[in-house]
C-alpha cells in the first residue's frame, strides 16, 4: 500500500532546539532539519547529472524522486529508481532470483572484493552465505560482545587522555578506526591488524576513488572496460591483497589451534550441501569483504548518531538517562543492552536519515513487469534507502529527526520496504545483528563518560560514495562527563 506514515507531528509539544531555516546555501537544508541537499526542482540533464553523480550522487536527485513511486533517471538506458515498498519487495524479496547485483556496484567493488559474499552471485554466493551464516547467529554475536566492549573502552580511555587538547577531534575518523578494530578483533583475532593504519587508510582511498560514479557507469558500459578510477585505486587494492593474502597464508600454514574465529572457520568450513570449502583466494576475498562491509558502514552510522544527538540535546539526555538506568550506573553488560529501547529508536532514526549504504543496485536477468512498469532484460534498478527514507508519501515530516516514530504503535505502522538500511530479502545484510550490538555497546560504553559538542555543526554535510559519510568528518570537542 502506498500511504504516508500517519499520526500527530512526531515533535508536537517538544521544544525546537535549532533556529529557523537560514537560506544562504541553496544546496543545504538548515534549521530544524539535519543537513541534507535540497532536492532539485527539475530533473537535471545528462551532463549536470553526471557532474553531480560524480561529486555527490544525492545532490543529483530532483523533488520528483521524493514524491513518485518510481522515476527513470535521465541517461541512456534509463535506470529505474524504485521507491514504492511493494515494488521494492518484488525486486529484493519475492522475485529476487531474477535480479543480480548491478553492474555499477560490481564495477566499483569487484576489483577489491573479488568473489566475496557482497559481490558473489549464484552458487558461489549461496555456498559462501551457508558457510558464514553461523558466525552471525544470535549466540555467536553475543559471544563477541566482550571484544566489542573492550575496543570501545580503549577508545573512550584514549579520548579521556587526549581531551585536554585545544583542537577538536574528528569523531567520524575515530569511529571508522573503532569499527575497523572491532571487526578485526572479533572476526580475525587481530590477524589483519599488523598494518591496521595502512589498511584503514587504503580502504578510505579505495572507497573515495572507486566510490565515484564514472562515465562508463553512467553509460552502463561493460564492467571489464578499463577505468581511470580503477587505475588510481590499484595501489590501495594491491595493499589490501598483499596484507590479507599474507594473513590468510600465515593462518593456513601456521595455525596453532589458539584461535576460533571467522578466519579459521572460513579456512576449515565445508558447505553442508556441496561438501566443498573455500579455496585460499575465496577466503582472502571474504576477509576483505567483511573488513570493508563491516567497518565503513558501522563507523558512519555512529558518526551520524553523534551528530544528530548533538543537534537534539533533549534526545541526548533521554539516551543518557536510559543508559544510566539500564546499567544502574555500573559496568555495561550484554543483557542490559536489551533495555535500551529509546536508544534503539534513536539508532533507527539515524539509519533512516543517514543510511550508511545509500544505494542498492540490481540488474534484471530476464524482463519483468510489476507495479505498472516494465523492466527489460539487463535493465538497471536503483533502490535508494536515502530516497525511500525521506519519501513524502511514506513518512510524516521526512526530513525531521524524530525517534518516536520507531516506538510502539508508530513503529508497527512502518511498511516493510519503507525502511531498509540493511536491505531486504536473501541478500539482506548478514552483519545487521552484529552492527546493532556494536552501536549499542559503543553508545553505552562511551556516552556516560564524556560530554561533547560539535565545533562547527553547520559544516557537516552528507557525502555519498559507496557509503554515506559526513563530508569533512565530524569535528567535536570532547571532555570528561564529570567536568
Ligand atoms: C550500520 C551498519 C551496516 C549497514 C547500514 C549495512 C548495510 C548493508 C546493506 C544495505 C546490504 C545489502 C546490499 C544489497 O542488497 O545489495 C549489506 C550487505 C552486507 N553486509 Fe552490511 N551493513 C552494515 C554492517 C555490516 C557489518 C558489521 C558487516 C560484517 C561484519 C556487514 C557485512 C555485510 C555483508 C557481507 C553483506 C553481503 C550479504 C550478502 O550479499 O549475502 N555489514 N549491508
Amino acid at each position: 500500500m502506498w500511504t504516508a506514515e500517519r499520526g500527530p507531528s512526531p515533535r508536537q509539544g517538544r521544544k525546537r532546539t535549532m533556529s529557523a531555516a537560514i537560506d544562504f546555501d541553496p544546496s543545504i537544508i538548515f534549521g530544524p532539519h539535519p543537513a541534507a541537499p535540497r532536492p532539485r526542482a527539475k530533473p537535471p540533464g545528462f551532463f549536470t547529472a553526471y557532474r553531480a553523480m560524480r561529486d555527490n550522487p544525492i545532490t543529483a536527485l530532483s523533488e520528483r524522486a521524493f514524491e513518485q513511486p518510481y522515476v527513470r533517471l535521465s541517461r541512456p538506458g534509463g535506470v529505474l529508481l524504485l521507491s514504492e515498498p511493494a515494488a521494492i519487495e518484488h525486486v529484493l524479496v519475492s522475485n529476487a532470483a531474477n535480479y543480480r547485483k548491478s553492474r555499477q556496484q560490481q564495477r566499483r567493488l569487484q576489483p577489491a572484493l573479488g568473489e566475496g559474499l557482497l559481490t558473489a552471485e549464484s552458487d558461489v554466493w549461496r555456498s559462501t552465505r551457508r558457510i558464514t551464516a553461523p558466525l552471525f547467529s544470535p549466540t555467536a554475536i553475543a559471544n563477541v560482545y566482550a571484544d566489542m566492549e573492550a575496543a570501545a573502552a580503549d577508545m573512550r580511555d584514549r579520548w579521556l587522555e587526549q581531551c585536554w587538547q585545544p583542537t577538536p577531534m574528528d569523531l567520524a575518523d575515530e569511529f571508522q578506526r573503532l569499527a575497523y578494530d572491532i571487526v578485526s578483533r572479533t572476526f580475525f583475532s587481530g590477524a589483519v591488524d599488523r598494518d591496521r593504519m595502512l589498511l584503514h587508510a587504503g580502504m578510505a582511498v579505495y572507497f573515495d576513488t572507486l566510490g565515484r560514479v564514472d562515465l562508463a557507469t553512467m553509460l552502463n558500459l561493460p564492467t571489464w572496460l578499463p577505468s581511470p578510477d580503477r587505475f588510481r585505486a590499484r595501489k590501495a587494492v594491491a595493499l589490501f591483497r598483499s596484507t590479507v593474502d599474507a594473513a590468510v597464508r600465515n593462518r593456513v600454514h601456521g595455525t596453532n589451534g589458539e584461535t576460533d574465529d571467522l578466519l579459521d572457520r572460513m579456512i576449515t568450513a565445508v558447505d553442508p550441501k556441496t561438501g566443498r570449502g573455500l579455496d585460499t583466494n575465496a577466503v582472502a576475498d571474504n576477509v576483505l569483504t567483511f573488513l570493508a562491509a563491516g567497518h565503513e558502514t558501522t563507523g558512519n552510522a555512529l558518526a551520524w548518531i553523534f551528530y544528530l544527538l548533538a543537534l537534539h540535546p533533549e534526545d541526548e539526555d533521554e539516551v543518557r538517562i536510559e543508559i544510566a538506568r539500564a546499567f544502574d550506573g555500573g559496568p555495561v553488560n550484554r543483557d542490559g543492552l536489551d533495555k535500551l529501547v529509546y536508544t534503539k529508536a534513536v539508532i533507527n532514526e539515524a539509519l533512516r536519515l543517514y543510511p550508511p549504504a545509500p544505494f542498492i543496485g540490481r540488474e534484471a536477468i530476464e524482463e519483468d513487469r510489476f507495479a505498472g512498469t516494465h523492466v527489460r532484460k539487463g535493465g538497471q534498478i536503483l533502490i535508494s534507502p536515502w530516497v525511500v527514507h525521506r519519501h513524502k508519501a511514506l513518512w510524516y515530516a521526512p526530513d525531521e529527526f524524530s525517534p518516536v516514530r520507531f516506538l510502539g504503535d508508530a513503529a508497527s505502522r512502518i511498511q516493510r520496504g519503507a525502511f531498509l538500511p540493511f536491505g531486504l530479502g536473501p541478500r539482506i545484510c548478514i552483519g545487521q545483528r552484529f552492527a546493532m550490538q556494536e552501536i549499542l555497546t559503543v553508545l553505552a560504553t562511551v556516552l556516560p563518560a564524556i560530554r561533547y559538542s560539535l565545533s562547527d555543526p553547520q559544516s557537516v554535510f552528507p557525502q555519498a560514495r559507496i557509503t554515506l559519510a559526513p563530508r569533512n568528518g565530524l569535528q567535536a570537542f570532547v571532555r570528561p562527563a564529570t567536568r
Side-chain angles (χ1 to χ4, degrees):
M1 207 177 43
W2 183 241
T3 52
E5 178 204 18
R6 300 258 175 251
S9 161
R11 286 263 157 218
Q12 242 171 29
R14 300 194 78 174
K15 243 185 19 206
R16 289 239 182 275
T17 51
M18 299 284 290
S19 57
I22 312 163
D23 215 9
F24 70 85
D25 180 344
S27 68
I28 300 176
I29 300 172
F30 274 130
H33 305 303
R38 193 187 296 284
R40 291 168 187 263
K42 281 196 322 211
F46 180 81
F47 285 106
T48 311
Y50 171 60
R51 270 200 308 275
M53 292 286 284
R54 188 157 174 81
D55 176 49
N56 191 358
I58 55 172
T59 63
L61 296 159
S62 71
E63 283 168 4
R64 273 180 48 211
F66 297 87
E67 291 162 3
Q68 301 294 322
Y70 61 87
V71 291
R72 283 203 188 268
L73 300 178
S74 68
R75 64 180 229 198
V79 171
L80 188 65
L81 176 72
L82 265 193
S83 302
E84 187 190 18
I88 291 174
E89 282 203 56
H90 175 87
V91 171
L92 295 183
V93 188
S94 51
N95 201 21
N98 187 44
Y99 292 91
R100 59 163 78 104
K101 296 273 174 139
S102 71
R103 262 177 229 198
Q104 294 201 24
Q105 186 197 294
Q106 301 297 52
R107 172 181 277 281
R108 294 157 175 215
L109 293 177
Q110 259 177 345
L113 308 184
E115 292 241 66
L117 186 62
L118 188 66
T119 39
E121 293 286 2
S122 315
D123 288 347
V124 178
W125 169 73
R126 273 187 283 276
S127 174
T128 313
R129 184 110 187 176
R130 281 194 295 266
I131 289 175
T132 50
L135 269 292
F136 294 90
S137 70
T139 317
I141 299 299
N143 286 342
V144 295
Y145 166 76
D147 281 334
M148 287 182 177
E149 200 215 317
D154 284 354
M155 185 193 73
R156 175 200 63 203
D157 295 347
R158 190 166 42 75
W159 284 13
L160 292 175
E161 276 166 26
Q162 287 173 6
C163 63
W164 52 267
Q165 290 173 358
T167 45
M169 246 182 228
D170 181 357
L171 300 193
D173 188 52
E174 289 288 324
F175 289 133
Q176 290 289 333
R177 285 160 198 254
L178 172 65
Y180 186 96
D181 189 19
I182 287 179
V183 179
S184 157
R185 282 193 204 206
T186 51
F187 283 140
F188 309 117
S189 311
V192 277
D193 225 27
R194 204 164 32 94
D195 300 313
R196 175 142 48 116
M197 300 310 293
L198 263 179
L199 261 189
H200 169 70
M203 283 204 183
V205 170
Y206 180 80
F207 274 81
D208 193 58
T209 313
L210 271 193
R212 284 169 185 261
V213 173
D214 60 8
L215 202 56
T217 300
M218 285 287 279
L219 295 171
N220 207 10
L221 299 178
T223 40
W224 48 262
L225 276 179
S227 102
D229 288 336
R230 208 181 298 175
F231 186 72
R232 272 194 291 275
R234 73 193 187 292
K235 257 190 175 165
V237 173
L239 171 75
F240 304 156
R241 295 305 312 192
S242 60
T243 313
V244 170
D245 287 350
V248 173
R249 269 198 313 275
N250 282 348
R251 192 65 79 82
V252 169
H253 300 299
T255 187
N256 52 12
E258 273 173 19
T259 49
D260 174 25
D261 57 15
L262 181 63
L263 186 48
D264 280 331
R265 289 188 197 201
M266 284 200 297
I267 290 166
T268 54
V270 175
D271 176 356
K273 212 154 171 204
T274 63
R276 281 200 293 272
L278 298 173
D279 64 24
T280 315
N281 263 343
V283 171
D285 284 350
N286 280 293
V287 169
L288 267 172
T289 296
F290 284 98
L291 280 173
H295 102 279
E296 279 265 336
T297 43
T298 319
N300 285 331
L302 278 161
W304 289 119
I305 292 164
F306 272 66
Y307 165 67
L308 288 164
L309 288 180
L311 296 192
H312 298 92
E314 72 273 43
D315 295 280
E316 189 190 334
D317 285 347
E318 268 175 65
V319 169
R320 286 179 181 281
I321 291 167
E322 190 176 62
I323 292 173
R325 280 208 197 109
F327 303 103
D328 234 352
V332 177
N333 58 69
R334 167 70 195 80
D335 291 343
L337 298 183
D338 294 337
K339 299 182 195 157
L340 302 179
V341 177
Y342 193 76
T343 310
K344 272 184 209 145
V346 165
I347 297 171
N348 280 328
E349 181 65 340
L351 292 173
R352 183 186 72 81
L353 281 170
Y354 297 105
F359 298 106
I360 297 173
R362 290 292 188 269
E363 177 174 315
I365 296 169
E366 295 298 335
E367 72 166 336
D368 196 7
R369 279 176 200 281
F370 57 90
T373 187
H374 169 246
V375 178
R376 63 180 171 77
K377 181 176 173 167
Q380 303 291 307
I381 290 188
L382 197 58
I383 294 164
S384 167
W386 170 268
V387 174
V388 175
H389 292 179
R390 290 172 181 263
H391 204 286
K392 290 184 180 153
L394 297 173
W395 300 92
Y396 188 88
D399 297 316
E400 268 193 39
F401 174 73
S402 178
V404 291
R405 42 175 129 234
F406 286 99
L407 292 175
D409 281 354
S412 58
R413 284 198 297 272
I414 297 172
Q415 299 174 58
R416 202 162 98 103
F419 179 61
L420 66 163
F422 294 99
L424 272 187
R427 301 212 64 155
I428 195 167
C429 177
I430 200 169
Q432 174 170 2
R433 193 178 284 115
F434 182 96
M436 287 305 276
Q437 177 173 299
E438 174 175 344
I439 295 170
L440 284 166
T441 305
V442 173
L443 288 173
T445 309
V446 174
L447 259 192
I450 62 145
R451 290 270 163 191
Y452 71 102
S453 53
L454 303 183
S455 65
D456 184 8
Q458 297 210 335
S459 71
V460 178
F461 193 70
Q463 170 71 58
R465 290 270 186 264
I466 294 166
T467 60
L468 188 75
R471 190 172 66 192
N472 310 322
L474 187 68
Q475 311 297 332
F477 294 104
V478 175
R479 58 190 188 285
T482 44
R483 252 184 258 162

